[in-house]
Amino acid sequence: MEKYLIVIGKSEHNYGAYSPDVPGCIATGQTVEETIARMKEALEFHLNGMAEDGDPLPEPRGLRFYLNQSEPIAQPDDLLTQVEVRLPEAV
């Protein structure tokens, strides 16, 4: 299992989440908790697809890495958290 950083933002009607370590993988939900659960599922699905395609899996870089970057990964009102993701067995 690995922990991936996720960014959760509030929109007008729901929440959206993404992981800066896994571009293109997103999830939405009506609550923060639902969004986190859906993001965990989306990450596992996305990473399994990458493994099946023979693509290398992105390593989680963690919050410290992103704090040292010149471009911010989140807006001031966004929430940051980590989700523990089960990696494909073939990794």
Side-chain angles (χ1 to χ4, degrees):
M1 291 225 182
E2 292 283 350
K3 290 185 178 181
Y4 282 86
L5 178 69
I6 62 170
V7 179
I8 303 167
K10 175 83 169 112
S11 68
E12 188 175 338
H13 300 289
N14 64 358
Y15 293 87
Y18 69 93
S19 175
D21 292 323
V22 188
C25 184
I26 61 168
T28 63
Q30 293 297 312
T31 65
V32 170
E33 294 80 11
E34 179 182 39
T35 305
I36 292 170
R38 287 184 171 181
M39 188 63 197
K40 176 184 169 73
E41 291 172 1
L43 281 167
E44 288 178 347
F45 181 80
H46 193 95
L47 295 171
N48 276 309
M50 290 179 72
E52 287 176 8
D53 291 344
D55 296 332
L57 300 183
E59 289 191 35
R61 293 179 271 189
L63 182 58
R64 182 168 288 140
F65 172 84
Y66 290 104
L67 290 175
N68 291 320
Q69 302 303 303
S70 59
E71 293 292 320
I73 60 165
Q75 300 299 315
D77 291 338
D78 288 347
L79 304 171
L80 302 176
T81 190
Q82 291 181 319
V83 292
E84 195 166 50
V85 176
R86 183 174 301 124
L87 297 179
E89 291 185 27
V91 176

